[in-house]
């Protein structure tokens, strides 16, 4: 299934794509694409529906974040060897883990805000893993059974805030709009091999990133198992699994985003995002 959320920010309703690519309203059957709805039982109930019999939704409406009520937004750094090398680093011996504030979550095509004082706004196309079953001390060979599905993530980053302002990476990863997810949550059963997906990103029509999840240093199964040793993973938690080479920080000369830049990015079978950069407005 391809599950998504449609409507204005804060008013999204659950939906699914039917076999012909039409949007169908799931509101009569589930409150949101979150929590219990992402469990094995919840997804089975949705899979049993005749989508063609459900009300059709106007495709012109905004697409929201594909998961509602995200509890934890966990990110993995330097998980592709080519990206590690472009930043001048070696492959890490264990996954590098940091958090992105859940207030950064937004729809896949919502504008990306350039923060006030930003000079090094960067892009990172990533495979997102959505947890569907509580995971604590999970063995690697059992880890994928705890995954509800997958989505496209852009781990938008402000490199100056991340690396030049002291502390950990979180402050460079958490501005509003720095966590576009979707368009869809694609359930696990639709992905034959999560370690064989192509991912790409373009800025103003120029290809910047082309990679494959086959080049991950730590696999999805390893990451779920590893993280479950340090924190309990709950349904609706998202893991952004790292980015391939081609980020602006890794280029020579370095290249960063400015207001007006247009981004497109996607992953095989998981859809694409299309957005643009705008200057963050002053809070009043």
């Amino acid at each position: 299934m391809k599950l998504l959320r449609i409507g204005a920010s804060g008013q999204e309703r659950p939906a699914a794509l039917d076999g012909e690519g039409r949007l169908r309203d799931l509101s009569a059957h589930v409150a949101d694409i979150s929590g219990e709805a992402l469990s094995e039982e919840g997804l089975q109930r949705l899979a049993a529906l005749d989508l063609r019999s459900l009300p059709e939704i106007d495709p012109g409406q905004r697409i929201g974040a594909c998961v509602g009520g995200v509890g934890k937004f966990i990110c993995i750094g330097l998980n592709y060897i080519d990206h590690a090398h472009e930043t001048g680093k070696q492959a890490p011996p264990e996954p590098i883990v940091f958090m992105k504030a859940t207030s950064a979550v937004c729809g896949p095509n919502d504008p990306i805000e350039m923060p006030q004082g930003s000079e090094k706004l960067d892009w990172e196309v990533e495979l997102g893993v959505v947890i569907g079953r509580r995971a604590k001390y999970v063995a690697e060979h059992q880890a994928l059974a705890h995954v509800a599905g997958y989505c496209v993530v852009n781990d938008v980053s402000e490199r100056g805030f991340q690396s030049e302002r002291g502390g950990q990476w979180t402050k460079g990863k958490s501005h509003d709009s720095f966590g576009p997810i979707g368009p869809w949550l694609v359930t696990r059963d639709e992905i034959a091999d999560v370690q064989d997906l192509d991912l790409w990103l373009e800025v103003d029509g120029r290809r910047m990133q082309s990679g494959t999840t086959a080049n991950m240093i730590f696999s999805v199964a390893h990451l779920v198992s590893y993280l479950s040793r340090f924190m309990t993973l709950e349904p609706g938690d998202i893991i952004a699994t790292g980015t391939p080479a081609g980020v602006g920080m890794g280029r020579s000369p370095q290249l960063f985003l400015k207001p007006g830049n247009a981004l497109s990015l996607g992953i095989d079978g998981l859809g694409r995002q299309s957005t643009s950069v705008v200057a963050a407005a002053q809070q009043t």
Side-chain angles (χ1 to χ4, degrees):
M1 286 183 295
K2 293 180 175 66
L3 302 173
L4 64 166
R5 301 167 69 247
I6 300 293
S9 180
Q11 302 175 30
E12 296 93 345
R13 52 180 165 162
L17 282 182
D18 67 18
E20 287 74 45
R22 296 185 178 90
L23 290 172
R24 300 292 180 172
D25 192 344
L26 296 177
S27 299
H29 302 277
V30 64
D32 201 356
I33 307 301
S34 63
E36 179 60 27
L38 296 171
S39 69
E40 202 76 29
E41 296 77 14
L43 292 177
Q44 286 175 358
R45 287 193 292 271
L46 293 179
L49 297 173
D50 178 9
L51 293 181
R52 292 173 297 180
S53 69
L54 300 181
E56 190 169 349
I57 298 176
D58 176 5
Q61 295 189 58
R62 170 184 175 270
I63 300 176
C66 60
V67 180
V70 176
K72 291 190 286 295
F73 201 156
I74 309 161
C75 301
I76 307 299
L78 303 179
N79 195 31
Y80 287 71
I81 190 62
D82 54 354
H83 175 53
H85 287 168
E86 75 173 347
T87 63
K89 298 179 175 63
Q90 298 300 312
E94 293 191 35
I96 295 172
V97 180
F98 62 95
M99 308 293 282
K100 186 184 284 279
T102 56
S103 55
V105 173
C106 64
N109 306 321
D110 290 347
I112 293 171
E113 294 186 4
M114 185 170 183
Q116 295 180 13
S118 170
E119 296 180 351
K120 298 181 178 180
L121 186 63
D122 208 346
W123 57 83
E124 297 188 35
V125 61
E126 306 200 6
L127 172 71
V129 177
V130 181
I131 298 299
R133 176 178 162 196
R134 190 173 187 269
K136 183 175 183 178
Y137 299 122
V138 173
E140 187 168 334
H141 72 277
Q142 298 174 322
L144 294 186
H146 294 259
V147 173
Y150 305 99
C151 64
V152 180
V153 172
N154 187 357
D155 177 20
V156 183
S157 307
E158 211 303 330
R159 302 301 188 183
F161 296 178
Q162 176 184 350
S163 302
E164 301 166 15
R165 300 287 296 271
Q168 298 180 347
W169 291 1
T170 303
K171 68 178 72 173
K173 301 282 189 171
S174 294
H175 192 273
D176 293 352
S177 78
F178 276 22
I181 60 171
W184 317 312
L185 185 163
V186 179
T187 51
R188 189 181 75 240
D189 58 292
E190 290 203 7
I191 304 300
D193 183 357
V194 72
Q195 300 303 154
D196 186 25
L197 300 176
D198 290 338
L199 58 171
W200 57 273
L201 181 144
E202 295 178 350
V203 178
D204 294 336
R206 178 184 171 192
R207 183 62 59 99
M208 298 296 184
Q209 290 185 278
S210 294
T212 170
T213 57
N215 289 338
M216 283 184 180
I217 298 169
F218 304 106
S219 69
V220 170
H222 182 87
L223 292 174
V224 172
S225 175
Y226 181 86
L227 291 169
S228 77
R229 304 175 203 171
F230 301 99
M231 63 190 83
T232 300
L233 302 175
E234 300 285 358
D237 288 349
I238 296 175
I239 305 167
T241 56
T243 197
V247 300
M249 176 181 64
R251 294 182 171 270
S252 183
Q254 292 182 330
L255 178 66
F256 296 112
L257 296 168
K258 302 293 183 185
N261 287 145
L263 283 79
S264 297
L265 56 147
I267 301 177
D268 282 352
L270 303 183
R272 63 182 290 164
Q273 301 181 2
S274 297
T275 186
S276 58
V277 180
V278 299
Q282 179 71 41
Q283 183 75 36
T284 58

